[in-house]
Amino acid sequence: MRRTARIILVLLGMVLILFIALSGLFEDYLWYSDLGYSQLFWTPLISKGIIQIINGTILFTFIAGTLFSIRHAILTFVNERLRKRLRLVHEMDRPLYHLSQRKMTLWLIIISVLISFGVSFVTGFTGWLEVLTFLNATPFGQGDPIFFKDLGFYVFQLPFFFTIYNAFFGPLFFLTFFTIVFYSFAGVIHFQSLFIWKKQAIEINSAARRHLALLITVLFLFKGFGCYLDTFRLLYSQHGLVLGAGYADLHATLPALKALMVLCALSVVGGILSFFKNEVRLLTLPILVIFISIPLLSGLGPMVLQSMVVIPNELEKETSYIQNEIALTRFAYGLDQISEEDYQADQPLTSETLQQELPTLNNVRLNDPHPLLRTYTQKQGIRPYYKFYNIDMDRYRINGEYRQVMLAPREFSYQDLENTAQTFVNLRFKYTHGFGVVASFANSVTPEGLPAFAIKDVPPTTDYQELQISQPRIYFGEMTHDWVVVNTDLKEFDYPEGKANAETRYEGKSGIKLSPFNRLMLSLKHGTLRFYLANEINSQSRILLHRNIMDRVEKLAPFLQYDDNPYLVVDEGRLKWIIDAYTVSNTFPYSSMYPERELNYIRNSVKVVVDAYDGTVAFFAVDTEDPILQTYRKIFPGVFKDLSAMPDTLQTHLRYPETLFKIQSTMLKNFHMTDPTVFYNKEDAWDIAKELFGSEPQNIAPYYSVMRLPDSEQPESVLMIPFTPSSNANNIRNNMVAWLAARMDDEHYGELKLYKVPKNTEVDGPLQVESRIDQDPEISKQLALWDQKGSSVIRGDLVVLPLAGKFLYVEPVYLQSAKAGSIPEMRRVIVAYGDKIVMSETFEEALAQLFGVRLKLSPPPPANVSALALTSMDAELKTEETADAKEPADPQEDTQALLKQIEQIREMLNQLEQQFKKITGDSVDSEGGKNADKAAHEVQPDPDDDSANLDQSKTNP
């Protein structure tokens, strides 16, 4: 009975261990299936399994065959050692332990299985994608300049061949080495002399000789194959000046590799002959020759040629190879698709041209993202547990006007709940989502120096129809890292509302249902019994997993790389995340490596859309000509939808990705030079323009802007960055030489335009403008006065604005108290044009001082403001009239209602009056501009005013 109970307990324990081991896999299956991507689960899983079985079987055959071949020697060796160690025990009339052949066979099988399938597990886990891309490879339609192989060979086939080579050569080498060492210790091999090329230098029996001949023959076959692969790897060489195959690589290393292949072939022949002939030197001499030849041919030869021939005539010898590097690097990073134009940068700005550029001026980014994030947190955080992770830049058509909008989702921060409230029920059932967004126009600032909110409060309110939100709940975001259970008997917290909080129930599509078996497996996976013990869970409850949007898409498609900056958009009342995904390679020939991401080929081929409410994920193919994406579409049919399947309303929010733009800008610093001689001498190398953060120069980050490009009629959304000449200790130049713009609207999406400043035109760069700001006596005096007595200055990002053939520089200046919880307030705007620089309270006043004309810069589109306000008030009045008709009037309530209506009307009239003044403001003549300039310089701050603060140097938020 006890024995039966023990067996049952052991069996139950084994079943429990099996279920625990499979629980994670089962959860993944449920999760992938719930999102409709079960093939993204099964394809890698089955591929890994097949690769492990094939690879493991082949390795098992070699390892087990070798071990069984030396089984008798191993058995003899082990028993001899045991007999010597236990001789004393034997003399004491105790039985001597003897290892039987049966036990030895069992141990050899176990060792073979563990080694072979352990190695194959690693290979299958990491190499499954190389195998599938090899089987589904798509040609690039362009060959390399040396071996004339299609570029797809280096992206798809070569990694697969290296995977095969690495999977077998290493284990076989160690197996051969172990066998030789064991034969030596077991006395099967006797070394009579160190001169192994002599006939009697080594004594070995025939069985061991044939065994080693077989192993060494296979080893030399793989080594020859590796030398063949190394010939193509020369196109990634980093020896000498050229990245890729240079003169020494092709005239010394390549012949050396070919010679090694011949030696390996001869060694294979020697191994075969040694299998049949009793001649050990057929094995030993090839090994000796190979070990001597590798450093001489592959190392010393190319080094001598490089030093003696190439370096004295480097440009002459390397010119054609430099051209290869330039051409293929530009192709790999999409730089060959950049169209170039001259930008004169010396055209005068007149009142007429300024009027024509009003759409651009109306979208100048005065709200800097870093101070804006603090302002959002202080003014719109509502509760401590609401946080804003990032500011997203986008554009919307508001009443027909193209406006740049800055938007931040209000996510729930579980860490900021009171410690006593961080219970299991609250964290998993109650507090499940964030709520709404905050938005403001890039150029809209209130008289108090704060952003004018386009969307605000909880629930979110807006005066603009295009920004209306019907589903503001954020279950999936950038700050959501933990799983939650929804549709429980306990209603979820929705948002704070007076004394009682509003509550809701999840109605989204995704979520794994908590059926009895699912509860069991999830309990084992997460190590908790709460799925059974919690009374709140019912048959309709669901668990939401992987709610962080980056973790979510990376788990679905780990073979893609993703942009660091996902952004949220308002699409027909719903909140949706858009994430840019890249197809990349690090085996593209002759292409310079981008070290931060270890790649040398990149395309933004995929856009990923994640619904913030229900977490549904959609992959859209935007670059259907990319061979890597075409290969992935063959491997995972149906996963990547055509871009035409994306709603038009969502397509208008597609952005050129910032990460890709940074990579391209970095590579463009040198690879805009297409002449090999110029490239070799670095005559025209660039740097990304710099601005000051604190006292240290820092690269300007790419920034989105709504502007009219020089050859365009309409304003459009672009991503741009300026360039200056490359500087070193002996040559510091910060003037503007070019700027790159990425277009992203309609049919122009993805177009890159490089505008070059003529070499005979001198234009101040951003760092020079920053120095001029610091050196201006009036501005520096004012900033110094404000930067004291508990206040500090925050100088925002310097925005470079190409404008009608000239450059305008705009920098907002913020004032912030040193007290905790203070809000940065924009108090001044610095604008520079040519050799003029001014600081004024508003952008309009600064333009008036610079150009002597007051432009009618429009505020946020007002048409819908009054309409929506009147509609809302009219609805309230109708509701109240209906209520009055049903119930007898209370005089006191009537009075309060009337006062409330009067207050609403007064507030509405004040808003309309302010908008009317901004719209109908009269232009000022040049004398008026001078008077405004004079008045601005005459205004001095009160030195005793503690609320004033500013710092000459920017602080890095």
Side-chain angles (χ1 to χ4, degrees), residues 588-655:
F588 202 81
Y590 267 118
S591 179
S592 184
M593 188 72 67
Y594 184 75
E596 293 183 18
R597 284 183 173 250
E598 296 185 355
L599 56 85
N600 63 359
Y601 173 92
I602 184 170
R603 291 290 186 271
N604 175 217
S605 301
V606 178
K607 302 285 186 182
V608 188
V609 179
V610 183
D611 193 292
Y613 179 66
D614 59 24
T616 52
V617 181
F619 295 88
F620 295 96
V622 294
D623 186 357
T624 55
E625 297 181 0
D626 174 37
I628 298 181
L629 177 61
Q630 293 179 23
T631 300
Y632 289 159
R633 297 186 85 172
K634 294 176 186 176
I635 298 172
F636 306 104
V639 169
F640 301 97
K641 303 176 183 177
D642 293 331
L643 186 60
S644 58
M646 179 185 288
D648 294 338
T649 55
L650 206 54
Q651 289 190 40
T652 59
H653 293 286
L654 296 182
R655 302 188 321 192

Side-chain angles (χ1 to χ4, degrees), residues 419-450:
N419 291 333
T420 56
Q422 294 186 22
T423 64
F424 181 87
V425 172
N426 281 344
L427 296 180
R428 302 301 186 184
F429 301 156
K430 189 71 175 179
Y431 298 110
T432 58
H433 58 275
F435 202 92
V437 300
V438 177
S440 55
F441 294 102
N443 71 324
S444 181
V445 182
T446 67
E448 293 79 19
L450 300 176

Side-chain angles (χ1 to χ4, degrees), residues 18 174 177 201 236 264 305 320 487 741 753 794 810 869 885-886 921 934:
L18 179 64
F174 284 108
F177 180 76
Y236 315 129
C264 287
L305 184 67
S320 60
N487 290 351
K753 306 208 73 173
I794 301 173
V810 182
K886 292 181 179 180
K934 181 179 179 182

Side-chain angles (χ1 to χ4, degrees), residues 18 107 114 177 240 298 320 348 489 491 567 666 787 934 957:
L18 179 64
W107 276 110
L114 291 176
F177 180 76
S298 299
S320 60
D489 292 338
K491 285 190 175 181
Y567 60 101
T666 301
D787 191 25
K934 181 179 179 182

